[in-house]
Amino acid sequence: MRRALIVVDVQKDFCEGGSIPVKGGADRARAIAEMVQRSAGSEYAHIVATRDHHIDPGGHFSDHPDFQNSFPVHCVAGSDGSDFHPTFASTATSGAVDEVFYKGAHSASKSGFEGSAEDGTSLADWLRAREVSDLDVVGIATDHCVKATALDGATAGFAVRVLLDYTAGVAADTTDKAIDELRGAGVALTGEPVVLG
């Protein structure tokens, strides 16, 4: 068994002060950074991160968002809001994170498995090339991109676990629904998500 950690979208626009902030996002960014520093080179064979990286995602950006499939403008490629949250950024650039996967240039792309590294390698191919079998998923938001990444990981044949203590959810009802979906798909769950919405 080789286990990898996927850190989903710990970006400024998804934390307090960002364009679509998730309450508790900044606190989870700090907790994830601390966990990554503790775990790098020991618990995980690899640690990767995903980033929303929108150029022209069509209807995903909306002046009248439904906050399910459409949202206000966020994580535009090259913008300050698309950067990792500062408390995670220093960890990500310290060598603890092995690769970053960018998603959503021209689509919504909630799942990290829809993204690719700068060289074009998909997340699934990158993990398989390193003989990873098991995944832990953390990040923002529990009820959106964390859920989508975990579900796609399970569909791709990985044994997936979501560490809810290291996630932040947008709202209690959608987070509860996401947890039910994850459980129904055979994704293991530990802890409790932060939901301050």
Side-chain angles (χ1 to χ4, degrees), residues 11-30:
Q11 293 168 266
K12 290 181 181 179
D13 270 348
F14 298 136
C15 296
E16 291 84 348
S19 63
I20 46 173
V22 177
K23 291 182 180 178
D27 180 68
R28 294 302 83 196
R30 177 194 51 75

Side-chain angles (χ1 to χ4, degrees), residues 161-186:
R161 180 172 65 176
V162 174
L163 310 184
L164 293 172
D165 287 343
Y166 296 93
T167 69
V170 172
D173 58 342
T174 52
T175 298
D176 288 345
K177 182 179 177 183
I179 288 170
D180 287 343
E181 286 183 59
L182 291 165
R183 191 175 285 119

Side-chain angles (χ1 to χ4, degrees), residues 3-197:
R3 184 179 297 277
L5 176 69
I6 302 176
V7 179
V8 176
D9 298 1
V10 181
Q11 293 168 266
K12 290 181 181 179
D13 270 348
F14 298 136
C15 296
E16 291 84 348
S19 63
I20 46 173
V22 177
K23 291 182 180 178
D27 180 68
R28 294 302 83 196
R30 177 194 51 75
I32 290 166
E34 292 173 356
M35 188 257 282
V36 166
Q37 290 167 354
R38 288 194 308 270
S39 303
S42 57
E43 185 173 352
Y44 296 107
H46 297 285
I47 297 174
V48 301
T50 70
R51 282 175 62 170
D52 252 17
H53 185 76
H54 297 305
I55 296 171
D56 181 15
H60 186 56
F61 284 172
S62 174
D63 292 332
H64 305 285
D66 63 13
F67 293 95
Q68 290 298 314
N69 298 304
S70 60
F71 296 85
V73 174
H74 62 278
C75 296
V76 173
S79 70
D80 184 65
S82 73
D83 290 342
F84 287 128
H85 187 275
T87 58
F88 179 68
S90 58
T91 298
T93 57
S94 69
V97 172
D98 298 308
E99 188 62 84
V100 177
F101 293 85
Y102 298 86
K103 60 189 178 66
H106 300 283
S107 66
S109 294
K110 290 185 178 182
S111 169
F113 283 89
E114 297 175 280
S116 60
E118 287 188 351
D119 68 0
T121 303
S122 72
L123 176 55
D125 287 346
W126 193 94
L127 293 167
R128 289 188 182 115
R130 288 153 183 81
E131 299 181 345
V132 170
S133 57
D134 292 55
L135 304 175
D136 283 354
V137 182
V138 300
I140 305 170
T142 318
D143 37 353
H144 291 283
C145 296
V146 169
K147 177 188 79 170
T149 299
L151 290 174
D152 279 358
T155 298
F158 297 95
V160 182
R161 180 172 65 176
V162 174
L163 310 184
L164 293 172
D165 287 343
Y166 296 93
T167 69
V170 172
D173 58 342
T174 52
T175 298
D176 288 345
K177 182 179 177 183
I179 288 170
D180 287 343
E181 286 183 59
L182 291 165
R183 191 175 285 119
V187 173
L189 303 167
T190 68
E192 297 291 334
V194 169
V195 183
L196 302 175

